[in-house]
Amino acid sequence: MTRIAAVSLNSAVDQTVRVPRFAVDAVNRVEASRVDAGGKGINVASFLAHLGHEVTVTGFLGRENAALFERHFAQTGIGDACLRLDGATRTNVKIVDPVLDQVTDLNFPGISAGPEALEGVGRALGALLEAGLDWVALCGSLPEGLPPETYAGLIRQAREKGARVALDTSGAPLAAALSAGPDIIKPNIAELGALLGRPLAGRDEAVAAAREIVAGGVGLVAVSMGAEGAVLVTRDASLCAVPPGIEVASTVGAGDAMVAGLIHAATRGLDLAETARLATAVSLGALGEIGPHLPPIDRIEDLMAAVGIGAA
Ligand SMILES: Nc1ncnc2c1ncn2[C@@H]1O[C@H](COP(=O)(O)OP(=O)(O)OP(=O)(O)O)[C@@H](O)[C@H]1O
Ligand SMILES: [Mg+2]
């Protein structure tokens, strides 16, 4: 079994409400509602646990509503090394309108965290690294109060202890982390374009952009492009993965599932084509579920066969 730590600095409670014919400036009736422990780091941890890994989460939770996360960790067998901060973990509300086929997101700001809180995460990660970690997943935006170099520092800390690192973030924290040499990054095409300061149109431009990042010392760049699939680029190879047309239940966690799939593939020593196939299948698995969940493993294996792999 592989030991993995996921770092979740900006966790979220994901509340999904179903409102047929949602209207602004009007009273709306909620038909159904569900609440999930979420945020990118928590999602990646949940998916990796589902795929059979021994997973611990560190990062921040608000003390006021930590119980939801504690229940989730207990149910999924995830280790809890999260610091508790004063206040409540933010809630992100997703209003799903099945009639008009629209989704409206209300994303709250997270709790802010200072340097002392970050030192606490460094100590928690340090203890996990001492006990032995194969992979560290760093996922999501940074809370207010932490510098853009935060992930760069955590990457160096992990790599010094021999752990490999996957990073999924955007903007300044991504730009500042590249020189620390993460093993895997998974920007979507817009995030990669923002990183390089030019919009990227389509697969060829995504591959060229990913090659620039690989040349700077990142092991694998997986650029996701929603329904168009993804391109995967390493120093030696590049290819594209094309998903089959599928019925989407919710897009929540598709990118996070791809991150988990990339790490899972690496722990199994798969080549680039099989990595692309597996990571895409895991993302398709998440798309078939409401909220950040995956189907049983045999369903993911069936989905693998439907992913097209081509030259890029
Ligand atoms: N509509 C879709 N149909 C088929 N596959 C999809 C669709 N949307 C996403 N995917 C799959 O999920 C992967 C990741 O999706 P996407 O590029 O939207 O990630 P993201 O922008 O990082 O999302 P997130 O909001 O979760 O961070 C894609 O590479 C693809 O395999
Ligand atoms: Mg993403």
Side-chain angles (χ1 to χ4, degrees), residues 24-101:
V24 296
D25 204 20
V27 174
N28 292 273
R29 208 162 292 281
V30 173
E31 195 180 79
S33 167
R34 60 172 296 147
V35 168
D36 293 291
K40 290 182 187 304
I42 304 283
N43 290 347
V44 170
S46 305
F47 296 151
L48 286 166
H50 183 89
L51 294 168
H53 299 284
E54 188 182 323
V55 184
T56 303
V57 181
T58 183
F60 306 127
L61 294 177
R63 199 171 277 118
E64 281 173 23
N65 56 353
L68 170 76
F69 293 89
E70 288 159 359
R71 234 177 3 253
H72 175 70
F73 295 152
Q75 278 165 2
T76 51
I78 292 173
D80 177 2
C82 292
L83 277 74
R84 305 298 191 260
L85 301 181
D86 289 341
T89 299
R90 69 192 165 133
T91 298
N92 289 337
V93 181
K94 196 174 274 290
I95 304 166
V96 178
D97 181 338
V99 178
L100 303 178
D101 198 21

Side-chain angles (χ1 to χ4, degrees), residues 40 168 186 191:
K40 290 182 187 304
D168 183 14
K186 193 225 63 70
E191 290 164 346

